[in-house]
Amino acid sequence: MSLAQTHSARARLIAEMERLFAVDAGLGSLLGYNGRPDMTQEAKQVQRAWARALVAVHGHDRASSAYTQYASRRQNTVREGVGSWGNLVLGGSPVPRWDRDIHGFLCHCCVEAFSTVVAADGDPLCNRCAITHADVQTTRPQWHAYSHAQFQFPGLMGEERKTSESKLLIRYQDDEERAYVTGEAALLTERTSPLPGLTAISSQTHGDSRDTIRLTLETRAEHGHRSVDILATFAYDPEPEQWEDHAYGFRFVSARLTTRARKLGHLDTGAPAIITEHTDLYRLLDTLITHLYSAT
C-alpha cells in the first residue's frame, strides 16, 4: 500500500463531508430550524445513514475530529446572529467529567454540556452559558449538519484513547489469538455495522503474514423491501494514521454487491438482481445507502 494511500483517509473523509453537507445550512440551535423542514424525510434518513457509516468505517475518534475540522470552516459561513435568547432551545444532558473534550464539542465555559452557539470571541458555548456570559447581539448559532449528533464524541485521553477502537479477535490453527483494530471492516461486522438488518454469513482470513492479513466477509443487509448481499475483502494496515496511537486497522480493498428488491407481501416487484463491483470505499457506501434507503 502506497504512502499516499496510507495518509489519505482523513483528507478523503473531509471531502465526503463537504459533499454530504454542502447544502445543509444546519443552524439547529434556532427554534425556527424545526428539524430541517426544508429536507424530506428520505433526505434526512439518508444523511443519518451516511453519518453512521462514516463513523463506523473511520471510528468515532477520527470521524469526530474530521467533522469538527470541517464544521469550523462552515462556521465561518454563518453570518446571521441568534437574534434573541428566546430563539434558543434550552436543553442538553450534561456530559460526564471523565470524558475529555479533545474534539471541541463541549461548552468552553462550563465543559459540562455540548456547545450550540459561538460568542464574539469565537468561544463555543452551550445555551445556558451563552445567556449568562455572552452578548446576544454578537452571538451566532453554531453550524450543525442535520446529523451532527452522530459525530458528538468528546474523546478519551491517554491509554483509554488507545483502547477505544473496536477490535476483532482472530484465533489461528496453532491457537495463537490476535486482536486487530476493526477499521473499515466495521462496516460489515455485526456489533459495529450501521447497515440495517445485517446478517453475517461467513468470514475468512488469508495471507502470508499475520501482521498484514486479509479478511473476507460475506454479509446481507435488509431494509424494507430491499436487500443486498455483500462479499468484501479488507487488508490489515498495522501503521497508524498520522498522529493516532493505534494501527489504522482493516482497509477496504474490494467488494461485490448483489442488490435486490424483495417481494412486497404476495406481490413480486419483478426487479432483477443487480451485481456491481467496487474498489472505492465511498462508491461502495453510496451504492449501499442509495439502494437500502431509497423510497422508489
Side-chain angles (χ1 to χ4, degrees), residues 279-295:
T279 56
D280 182 278
L281 174 64
Y282 296 99
R283 290 186 180 276
L284 168 69
L285 290 176
D286 186 50
T287 301
L288 285 170
I289 292 171
T290 299
H291 175 72
L292 291 170
Y293 290 96
S294 174

Side-chain angles (χ1 to χ4, degrees), residues 199-218:
T199 301
I201 299 173
S202 68
S203 62
Q204 182 179 1
T205 59
H206 42 99
D208 297 329
S209 170
R210 295 183 184 183
D211 295 325
T212 56
I213 63 169
R214 291 202 167 202
L215 173 67
T216 297
L217 298 173
E218 184 178 4

Side-chain angles (χ1 to χ4, degrees), residues 59-80:
H60 227 144
D61 185 31
R62 186 186 306 128
S64 294
S65 176
Y67 175 80
T68 52
Q69 181 180 340
Y70 170 73
S72 68
R73 297 207 311 263
R74 290 299 300 273
Q75 183 64 44
N76 292 330
T77 69
V78 179
R79 296 287 181 259
E80 64 180 286

Side-chain angles (χ1 to χ4, degrees), residues 103-204:
H103 297 309
F105 282 100
L106 298 186
C107 171
H108 183 78
C109 183
C110 69
V111 201
E112 290 184 342
F114 289 115
S115 59
T116 55
V117 298
V118 176
D121 59 5
D123 286 345
L125 303 172
C126 69
N127 291 341
R128 295 185 186 279
C129 287
I131 292 173
T132 304
H133 302 290
D135 181 353
V136 70
Q137 299 302 320
T138 58
T139 301
R140 293 168 297 148
Q142 190 170 32
W143 183 87
H144 287 167
Y146 182 76
S147 53
H148 170 82
Q150 301 291 335
F151 296 100
Q152 287 179 336
F153 178 68
L156 301 167
M157 298 295 282
E159 290 302 315
E160 290 180 323
R161 188 179 181 193
K162 295 181 184 179
T163 59
S164 64
E165 293 291 324
S166 65
K167 302 287 199 307
L168 288 178
L169 293 177
I170 297 177
R171 181 179 293 276
Y172 293 95
Q173 292 181 340
D174 59 5
D175 288 334
E176 180 187 4
E177 186 175 76
R178 290 197 182 190
Y180 294 89
V181 175
T182 310
E184 294 166 8
L187 178 68
L188 300 179
T189 54
E190 285 187 301
R191 63 191 179 90
T192 57
S193 176
L195 298 180
L198 189 84
T199 301
I201 299 173
S202 68
S203 62
Q204 182 179 1

Side-chain angles (χ1 to χ4, degrees), residues 12 16 19-21 42-43 45-47 49-54 57-58 187-188 194-196 226-228 230 252 255 257 259 274 276-295:
R12 183 69 190 277
E16 288 303 311
R19 179 195 62 79
L20 183 60
F21 304 132
E42 181 181 350
Q45 184 172 240
V46 167
Q47 192 178 105
W50 263 103
R52 289 194 297 267
L54 293 178
V57 300
H58 289 285
L187 178 68
L188 300 179
L195 298 180
R226 295 171 179 268
S227 68
V228 55
I230 311 160
F252 173 71
L257 303 186
T259 57
I274 298 175
T276 55
E277 304 281 346
H278 299 269
T279 56
D280 182 278
L281 174 64
Y282 296 99
R283 290 186 180 276
L284 168 69
L285 290 176
D286 186 50
T287 301
L288 285 170
I289 292 171
T290 299
H291 175 72
L292 291 170
Y293 290 96
S294 174

